[in-house]
Amino acid sequence: MRKTFQLQVEGKHPDRHLEAIKHEIRKYIKRERRRDLPEGSDFWDFDCKFGAAEESAEVVHLSALTGLIDGVVKEGGPQFYVEVVAKAAKRAPRAPGEAAAGASEFEED
């Protein structure tokens, strides 16, 4: 999904329009996660970019998108650009010491 969203659309309530935009982004992410994974992959990862325009978009984490959108709305920006591209990824195994350190927290003495 590579799209520039207009925030001020005539004839639409700004709050309802904002919720519709967020819903469209979430719907895209859910749809991509339902796709079949290629052989050797564990999960769908997302490369995300966000900015006022396509040229000024910066790489961001997927979980930060909603906060960034809310920030643009608070500043009164007229539009924003979102790019969310799905890619298949494989989880890296945990280091042996990492798993043992987390388990010792819950052990009883």
Side-chain angles (χ1 to χ4, degrees):
M1 165 188 271
R2 294 177 178 96
K3 190 170 183 179
T4 301
F5 290 98
Q6 301 297 324
L7 291 173
Q8 299 158 352
V9 177
E10 198 168 320
K12 293 188 178 182
H13 191 277
D15 293 339
R16 302 301 145 252
H17 184 64
L18 177 62
E19 289 304 315
I21 291 170
K22 289 179 183 179
H23 176 72
E24 183 177 341
I25 294 169
R26 288 184 194 116
K27 189 169 75 171
Y28 172 78
I29 292 168
K30 287 180 184 178
R31 185 180 333 123
E32 290 298 308
R33 284 185 174 152
R34 281 194 312 261
R35 289 180 31 207
D36 292 333
L37 284 165
E39 191 69 32
S41 299
D42 293 342
F43 69 105
W44 287 108
D45 194 13
F46 294 92
D47 290 332
C48 303
K49 288 186 179 181
F50 183 86
E54 186 174 358
E55 298 80 27
S56 64
E58 297 179 3
V59 175
V60 296
H61 192 269
L62 178 64
S63 63
L65 277 180
T66 304
L68 292 169
I69 292 170
D70 290 338
V72 169
V73 171
K74 283 183 183 178
E75 292 173 1
Q79 67 180 17
F80 62 88
Y81 173 78
V82 173
E83 181 176 319
V84 181
V85 179
K87 65 176 181 178
K90 185 163 179 68
R91 294 190 197 281
R94 289 187 179 185
E98 205 176 312
S104 65
E105 232 177 85
F106 300 105
E107 291 178 4
E108 293 182 23
D109 292 323

